[in-house]
Amino acid sequence: MKTSRFAALALLLSTWLVAPDASAGAWLPSPGHGYLKLWLKYLPGFWYNDGQGNRWDYGAYHELFANAYTEVGLFDGLALWVHAPLVQAFGLEDTRARAMQWHVTPGDPTLGLRLRVARAGRASIALDASVRAPVARAGVVQPVYAAAGPEHQQVGALRIGNGATDVGLSLSIGYAKNNWYVSGTVGAVYRSNNFDPAGTVLLEGGGRVARDRVGIRGRLTGFLSLPVGTAPRHESPSGMGNGSRYWGFALEADVRVAARWDVGLTIEGGAGPLVRQTGGPVLSLYAATTF
């Protein structure tokens, strides 16, 4: 199999969803070709983990997002990508009134460039640079109250936007052979407004089976705010704002339904401590194609 075929396979296999952005790791599409993915993400929150290590039952909480991601090869070894959270809906119960309130907003779009640094046989190394713009409404939209207790203690405040410009830089290394691949990514995120910078980690692997009709993948991700900024940390179940940290895993499977089109399901959950973020499973339904 030629190197270009390995790159096309790895691009299809390795597109991943991890906060704050989506990316395709170490592989780039050929000039004029690319990838498009559309998905719906649903998160039912079960509890809230605050910055002091406490876990709170805070009533019903839901997130429902519609997202788009695309990338296209500009030149040999250079690609442009865009992650666009089209609509984000947050539902939070006021446990004092036993009433649900919903907040809807567009998300913060991210624009990135990926540069191939090196390629040797079936291995590839790439560098990503990205900027995320603070489009979603910043600030508190609703207090978060504990579910138990006579006074329903306030344990946080829901935010539906970060309110900061994020500049990211990451390095990816990947290896693809026949119908499987493995890759790893490490990165750093600078955040404006004196927010804490963050480190990011991604380890993943997967392949295609059943004569390439079925794709399977697994991922381990980390978003680790470093407590060196001067801005206050934000206690929000959405994890938006300043000071969130988490480790997560994802299992994903898709089925080829037409030429170049796949539909699939992603299941995500916590793989380690969550700080300033809700706990709960994440389910995503997606459709993806190459062009």
Side-chain angles (χ1 to χ4, degrees):
M1 184 179 289
K2 295 181 179 180
T3 302
S4 60
R5 293 185 62 190
F6 280 113
L9 170 65
L11 172 63
L12 183 62
L13 290 175
S14 66
T15 296
W16 50 280
L17 311 179
V18 53
D21 306 318
S23 174
W27 294 277
L28 287 74
S30 301
H33 296 272
Y35 180 88
L36 172 66
K37 187 171 188 176
L38 306 170
W39 70 98
L40 291 174
K41 184 181 80 170
Y42 173 57
L43 163 64
F46 289 167
W47 58 80
Y48 176 62
N49 301 274
D50 68 18
Q52 291 70 49
N54 303 309
R55 177 177 291 187
W56 300 93
D57 180 1
Y58 65 112
Y61 177 72
H62 304 275
E63 293 179 2
L64 183 61
F65 296 176
N67 295 274
Y69 170 85
T70 189
E71 65 178 62
V72 61
L74 301 178
F75 307 101
D76 184 28
L78 182 66
L80 172 73
W81 59 266
V82 179
H83 175 213
L86 304 175
V87 180
Q88 300 184 154
F90 303 80
L92 173 63
E93 180 186 7
D94 182 338
T95 56
R96 303 169 307 165
R98 296 184 179 179
M100 179 72 71
Q101 297 183 37
W102 284 91
H103 311 273
V104 181
T105 180
D108 295 342
T110 305
L111 178 68
L113 285 172
R114 182 174 308 111
L115 174 68
R116 182 188 302 119
V117 176
R119 182 171 59 188
R122 295 161 177 161
S124 181
I125 302 175
L127 188 67
D128 264 271
S130 65
V131 177
R132 184 173 67 179
V135 171
R137 175 183 172 184
V140 172
V141 298
Q142 184 181 341
V144 180
Y145 296 103
E151 298 181 359
H152 295 288
Q153 175 183 352
Q154 183 174 347
V155 298
L158 177 62
R159 294 173 179 266
I160 61 174
N162 281 292
T165 299
D166 290 358
V167 178
L169 187 67
S170 64
L171 180 70
S172 300
I173 302 175
Y175 181 86
K177 183 177 181 180
N178 298 330
N179 288 342
W180 61 269
Y181 78 102
V182 291
S183 70
T185 302
V186 293
V189 181
Y190 164 78
R191 314 193 73 191
S192 67
N193 299 341
N194 295 315
F195 280 16
D196 295 338
T200 60
V201 179
L202 167 69
L203 299 173
E204 64 174 317
R208 300 198 71 85
V209 297
R211 298 182 180 179
D212 289 345
R213 292 192 298 268
V214 177
I216 53 175
R217 285 164 294 281
R219 297 187 292 270
L220 176 67
T221 62
F223 184 83
L224 309 173
S225 291
L226 307 175
V228 296
T230 58
R233 279 89 195 184
H234 300 135
E235 298 284 353
S236 173
S238 68
M240 296 183 179
N242 186 30
S244 296
R245 296 170 60 92
Y246 65 84
W247 287 95
F249 74 91
L251 300 175
E252 187 170 272
D254 58 54
V255 177
R256 180 67 46 82
V257 294
R260 296 182 177 271
W261 279 96
D262 297 311
V263 296
L265 171 68
T266 306
I267 301 173
E268 299 173 87
L274 305 176
V275 178
R276 298 185 179 91
Q277 187 160 329
T278 190
V282 181
L283 304 175
S284 299
L285 293 174
Y286 65 87
T289 186
T290 56
F291 57 88

